[in-house]
Every structure is written in structure tokens, then in C-alpha cells.
């Protein structure tokens, strides 16, 4: 079978990044569950010594689509 792979175009990524900006991990989970194209995800927060939270600046949120 084929695994469902989210294909988010630039507009969708920008919209998702805007929603995620400033979000804590609980908010991230709630937001991503509402995106049917997102089957699963891992979030890496950098730098690691800061509390886990999305950057306030949506432009600093990067997406990598798992292959």
C-alpha cells in the first residue's frame, strides 16, 4: 500500500506556520490534528535549552516532509 504523504504547497505551509507561531506543544498537537493532510509529525525545537515553544516569527518555522 501507499503511505499518505502530506503535500503542502507554499500557501498551505505559510498558513500552517502562521497558526503554529508562538504555540506550545499542546497547541501544536491541536492545530496539526485539524489538518487532514498531516498524518503524523515530529517537532524539533531549537535551541534545545529553551522551553518547547514555536517561534513567534512564522518565518522561522520550517517544514520537512518525510519521505
Amino acid at each position: 500500500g501507499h503511505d499518505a504523504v502530506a503535500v503542502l504547497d507554499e500557501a498551505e505551509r505559510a498558513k500552517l506556520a502562521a497558526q503554529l507561531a508562538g504555540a506550545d506543544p499542546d497547541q501544536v498537537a491541536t492545530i496539526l490534528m485539524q489538518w487532514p493532510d498531516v498524518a503524523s509529525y515530529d517537532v524539533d525545537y531549537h535551541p534545545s535549552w529553551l522551553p518547547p515553544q514555536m517561534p513567534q516569527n512564522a518565518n522561522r518555522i520550517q517544514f520537512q516532509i518525510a519521505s
Side-chain angles (χ1 to χ4, degrees), residues 35-57:
W35 281 71
D37 290 338
V38 179
S40 62
Y41 60 90
D42 291 303
V43 180
D44 292 321
Y45 297 99
H46 298 285
S48 58
W49 64 83
L50 291 178
Q53 186 174 26
M54 286 289 179
Q56 296 292 340
N57 181 353

Side-chain angles (χ1 to χ4, degrees), residues 16-25 27-29 31-32 41-46 51-58 60-63:
L16 183 53
Q19 290 182 355
L20 291 172
D24 65 30
Q27 293 169 318
V28 169
I31 292 165
L32 290 176
Y41 60 90
D42 291 303
V43 180
D44 292 321
Y45 297 99
H46 298 285
Q53 186 174 26
M54 286 289 179
Q56 296 292 340
N57 181 353
R60 291 180 54 207
I61 299 175
Q62 297 178 329
F63 298 100

